Every structure is written in C-alpha cells, then in structure tokens.
C-alpha cells in the first residue's frame, strides 16, 4: 500500500524565501506560492528528480503549524508524505492496525488537488506522516 515518497515538508516562517534559497543554492525548480486556507498553510514546492520538498508557512491564526514554528524559529522538517493508491482503504487498514488519523478522519484536498490525511507522529517513530492518494 505504501507508494513512493511524495514529498518532505519543511516548516518555515517564509516559504517563498526558503524556496528561493534552494533555487539559488541548488539551481532547483520552485513553484509559485499556493495558499491552502483549509490546511492553514501557504506552500511552495521545490521539484527534485525523484520527489519534492514542500516549504510550508503558517496561514491564519489557527494554523496547525504555528506552534511548530514557535518551537523551531529557524524552521525544521515537519512531515513526510507517502503516496497510497486508495486513501480510504489505507485509512481503514491503518486504523485497524491501531494508528491514529488526525482530525475527523475524512480526507481533505491537499496541495496537489488530491485527497490527503495525516497520521499521529507517536504512532510512526515520532514523525508526522501524510498520505496522499496517487
Ligand atoms: Co505535505
């Protein structure tokens, strides 16, 4: 059920600024900034040959990454995202294995227009996991 690594997300105060550093230092291809109000973040993607880096910055006062930025003022790795072929089947299997799905368990549409869910970091070696249907 686990597909390829879709992206690694790095939370920062300014996603465009962070991505531009990758553009200048590595010659990386960077996307435009995309606000995702439903997720409380602004995203900028850096495209690599085999995956993406997703820079996220808080959007709005109730942003779920606001506390993370408070604790990590210089930014830090926030989550990793794996492709799954069927997000509902993946969710139900994970719940059956005792994993905790964050929020109400209903997939939201993520930055790529695909359904996503987040899994509790305590169930996955301390790393917040996102799954995306692809
Ligand atoms: Co993500």
């Amino acid at each position: 059920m686990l597909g390829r690594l879709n992206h690694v997300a790095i939370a920062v105060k300014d996603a465009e600024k962070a991505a531009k550093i990758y553009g200048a230092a590595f010659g990386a291809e960077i996307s435009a900034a995309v606000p995702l109000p439903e997720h409380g973040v602004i995203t900028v993607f850096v495209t690599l040959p085999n995956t993406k880096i997703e820079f996220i910055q808080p959007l709005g006062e109730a942003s779920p990454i606001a506390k993370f930025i408070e604790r990590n003022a210089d930014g830090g790795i926030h989550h990793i995202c794996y492709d799954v072929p069927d997000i509902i089947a993946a969710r139900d299997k994970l719940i059956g294995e005792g994993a905790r799905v964050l929020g109400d368990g209903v997939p939201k549409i993520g930055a790529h227009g695909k359904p996503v869910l987040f899994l509790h970091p305590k169930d996955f070696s301390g790393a917040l996991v996102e799954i995306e249907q692809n």
Side-chain angles (χ1 to χ4, degrees):
M1 129 174 141
L2 205 54
R4 66 180 195 108
L5 176 66
N6 187 289
H7 61 266
V8 175
I10 301 175
V12 291
K13 287 179 180 163
D14 184 333
E16 271 192 302
K17 185 176 164 194
K20 278 180 183 155
I21 291 168
Y22 267 52
F26 297 124
E29 182 190 325
I30 63 178
S31 76
V34 178
L36 296 176
E38 201 188 346
H39 294 273
V41 296
I42 294 170
T43 62
V44 180
F45 281 92
V46 176
T47 304
L48 311 182
N50 63 339
T51 189
K52 295 181 282 293
I53 304 299
E54 178 191 60
F55 284 105
I56 49 178
Q57 82 176 61
L59 173 63
E61 289 182 4
S63 174
I65 66 167
K67 280 215 173 71
F68 184 93
I69 295 293
E70 260 176 50
R71 288 194 304 267
N72 303 276
D74 295 326
I77 293 180
H78 183 263
H79 65 266
I80 50 180
C81 178
Y82 303 112
D83 285 346
V84 294
D86 178 336
I87 200 160
I88 299 300
R91 176 196 66 189
D92 293 347
K93 163 94 165 100
L94 286 157
I95 290 171
E97 296 294 329
R100 286 165 284 181
V101 175
L102 300 187
D104 60 9
V106 178
K108 287 183 182 170
I109 297 303
H112 309 111
K114 307 279 177 62
V116 301
L117 282 171
F118 286 89
L119 309 174
H120 202 295
K122 287 195 173 158
D123 298 333
F124 294 96
S125 311
L128 177 61
V129 171
E130 179 180 18
I131 53 174
E132 179 174 312
Q133 181 166 294
N134 260 303

